[in-house]
Amino acid sequence: MKIIADENMPYVDALFGDLGEIEYVNGRNLTAEQVCDADVLLVRSVTKVNAALLDNAQKLKFVGSATIGTDHVAVDYLAERKIPFTNAPGCNATAVGEYAFIAMLELAQRFGDTLQGKVVGIVGAGNTGSAAAKCLEAYGLKVLLCDPVKEEQGDSREFVSLDSLIAQADIISLHVPITKVGEHKTWYLFDEARLNQLRPNTWLLNCCRGEVIDNRALISFKQQRDDVKLVLDVWEGEPNPMAELVALAEFATPHIAGYSLEGKARGTFMLYQKLCEVLGLEANKSLTILLPPFQFSQVYRQDELSEGQLLSLSRLVYDLRDDDRKFRDCFATAAGFDQMRKNHTYRREYSAITLKSEAPVIPLDHLMLRTLGFN
Ligand SMILES: NC(=O)C1=CN([C@@H]2O[C@H](COP(=O)(O)OP(=O)(O)OC[C@H]3O[C@@H](n4cnc5c(N)ncnc54)[C@H](O)[C@@H]3O)[C@@H](O)[C@H]2O)C=CC1
Ligand SMILES: O=C(O)C(=O)[C@H](O)COP(=O)(O)O
């Protein structure tokens, strides 16, 4: 069996090595010729999976995308051809939630402010939005959710409209899929008019898809409104973000909000499980053996935790400042953007750290940290 896999998908050898011969490819430049004799195709978000790529791949038995988003996949086309497809819903939700939370802690420190006491609006209350809300609520913040789709589906959480969220929130974090049609379409959800609604000093984070914000309108807006602070992980026109916008963002990264090792491993593992199911095989490998040990696996803590200390602890798993610096050095070329993503193999989730205390009673802060995700 021939398995074609994106070269940036980790743990493929460990999980798929027994199932067939693996060929690694550059996902962004994948051609129809390269996949014409594939039995299995494993992709990430940079590969357009459609008729042009797959019409000649007549042996294809399975397509898997180790991503949450599916906007790069013509799912109707695969269904028509009866080719089983899976993505990996939720695989990197914790990573995105922690990225957003840590970015807010970083902004607070950079601008001599505190995160504690702020009201945060989450737009899109699915896996990544809920993961961000979990961190924020663990830290005691008020969270407003806007998700008209979930609201219509009868989700029991409390929701507000987007207008109401914008009017109340100090911080807005975007967590929607990119959709171009329908009542709740998200393409340019934040256009010039919406951006002009933002309250003074709002922090706006985008870790979902670049086109959820009109990037040109954002440039003009931010040029007038320096009080608004931006954290941007995703960009219109990736892998070529607009240089003016990168310069205007407080923190800028190349679409890696979901790139924890845990999230990547879960993504590949979910494809492995699904392929085994499709092939009628037992999935007998385990996710836990995939991850390398973490250098700060145990942390001893006694004292009451300040916001600065929480940020220091967070930087053990993810130092956003480093990625922001690297990105500004390399984003100017598409190769630089992709290379940084390819080499991004160092980030862990809070769960990689086990908290220890020598005090007889577990400090109260440990409960908050455990709700955040620490062990
Ligand atoms: N930067 C990164 O590395 C990553 C980006 N993503 C992006 O984030 C998106 C969201 O991921 P998940 O939360 O896991 O997806 P999800 O499907 O679990 O949640 C998305 C939520 O957005 C809601 N929604 C749809 N249209 C909306 C609208 N107009 N207003 C408010 N809410 C709306 C949906 O009802 C759903 O609850 C993905 O589709 C993907 O594009 C996901 C993972 C990593
Ligand atoms: O899961 C998604 O959706 C994402 O946006 C991915 O985390 C992006 O990573 P790649 O699939 O492009 O490696």
Side-chain angles (χ1 to χ4, degrees):
M1 188 162 74
K2 181 160 180 184
I3 301 171
I4 304 253
D6 186 306
E7 63 191 1
N8 291 348
M9 193 182 297
Y11 312 118
V12 170
D13 269 341
L15 293 171
F16 294 84
D18 301 343
L19 300 177
E21 175 207 336
I22 300 163
E23 186 180 316
Y24 290 97
V25 291
N26 177 319
R28 204 180 287 279
N29 306 322
L30 190 62
T31 63
E33 205 184 349
Q34 283 173 291
V35 295
C36 67
D37 58 348
D39 297 282
V40 169
L41 176 62
L42 306 176
V43 298
R44 301 200 59 93
S45 72
V46 295
T47 304
K48 299 264 174 277
V49 178
N50 52 25
L53 184 72
L54 297 183
D55 266 352
N56 292 333
Q58 289 303 319
K59 283 164 58 191
L60 201 59
K61 297 173 188 57
F62 178 77
V63 176
S65 178
T67 56
I68 290 184
T70 54
D71 41 292
H72 54 298
V73 181
V75 282
D76 292 346
Y77 167 80
L78 293 177
E80 238 170 68
R81 281 199 44 201
K82 300 198 172 32
I83 298 171
F85 166 72
T86 193
N87 65 324
C91 65
N92 49 32
T94 301
V96 175
E98 290 182 6
Y99 175 102
F101 180 63
I102 292 170
M104 292 176 205
L105 288 170
E106 290 285 1
L107 279 177
Q109 191 182 71
R110 181 172 292 185
F111 293 102
D113 203 339
T114 50
L115 181 57
Q116 194 58 252
K118 297 223 183 283
V119 175
V120 183
I122 302 281
V123 183
N127 289 313
T128 62
S130 300
K134 189 190 102 177
C135 292
L136 295 160
E137 281 167 349
Y139 190 47
L141 301 196
K142 180 172 173 187
V143 173
L144 304 170
L145 300 177
C146 164
D147 192 324
V149 183
K150 287 239 183 279
E151 195 172 7
E152 280 165 21
Q153 287 166 351
D155 188 308
S156 61
R157 291 173 292 178
E158 195 179 316
F159 294 100
V160 298
S161 69
L162 186 52
D163 287 340
S164 164
L165 181 146
I166 293 173
Q168 296 179 67
D170 301 303
I171 305 174
I172 299 174
S173 193
L174 306 179
H175 298 277
V176 292
I178 191 76
T179 49
K180 289 185 180 163
V181 291
E183 190 190 346
H184 304 303
K185 73 181 164 66
T186 60
W187 187 275
Y188 285 2
L189 183 63
F190 278 70
D191 57 7
E192 188 189 347
R194 273 261 156 63
L195 290 168
N196 281 321
Q197 282 178 277
L198 295 182
R199 298 168 60 207
N201 305 312
T202 299
W203 300 351
L204 178 63
L205 288 77
N206 189 4
C207 330
C208 56
R209 286 291 181 263
E211 295 79 4
V212 172
I213 306 179
D214 177 343
N215 281 203
R216 289 199 182 284
L218 185 58
I219 291 170
S220 317
F221 173 76
K222 173 76 174 157
Q223 283 166 343
Q224 316 293 320
R225 289 281 306 274
D226 197 38
D227 58 298
V228 168
K229 305 299 176 208
L230 300 175
V231 176
L232 300 176
D233 177 56
V234 287
W235 310 86
E236 249 190 286
E238 289 177 21
N240 299 110
M242 294 170 201
E244 306 97 294
L245 187 53
V246 176
L248 290 166
E250 275 60 41
F251 288 98
T253 49
H255 196 150
I256 44 78
Y259 269 24
S260 63
L261 288 187
E262 288 84 348
K264 288 182 173 189
R266 265 182 236 116
T268 313
F269 192 75
M270 286 163 85
L271 304 192
Y272 161 72
Q273 284 180 308
K274 188 68 187 181
L275 177 61
C276 286
E277 189 187 311
V278 166
L279 298 176
L281 300 172
E282 191 193 342
N284 54 12
K285 305 226 153 123
S286 136
L287 179 60
T288 47
I289 55 148
L290 299 176
L291 294 171
F294 183 49
Q295 54 177 334
F296 306 113
S297 63
Q298 296 196 341
V299 168
Y300 281 84
R301 288 214 55 266
Q302 310 283 32
D303 321 327
E304 208 178 306
L305 190 74
S306 67
E307 192 164 296
Q309 287 167 331
L310 175 58
L311 176 57
S312 300
L313 263 184
S314 300
R315 285 176 181 160
L316 296 180
V317 286
Y318 186 48
D319 195 330
L320 176 60
R321 298 168 306 171
D322 286 346
D323 272 357
D324 174 68
R325 259 190 304 266
K326 281 184 198 142
F327 182 62
R328 288 176 200 278
D329 285 343
C330 76
F331 80 92
T333 65
F337 189 98
D338 278 345
Q339 200 61 28
M340 183 168 162
R341 303 189 83 220
K342 187 181 171 75
N343 296 334
H344 202 283
T345 54
Y346 39 84
R347 178 177 160 206
R348 301 302 294 259
E349 294 180 1
Y350 282 144
S351 62
I353 297 182
T354 299
L355 299 170
K356 300 271 180 188
S357 170
E358 275 155 10
V361 183
I362 295 180
L364 259 186
D365 287 339
H366 278 203
L367 301 177
M368 183 272 281
L369 290 171
R370 292 216 162 99
T371 319
L372 268 180
F374 288 83
N375 269 309

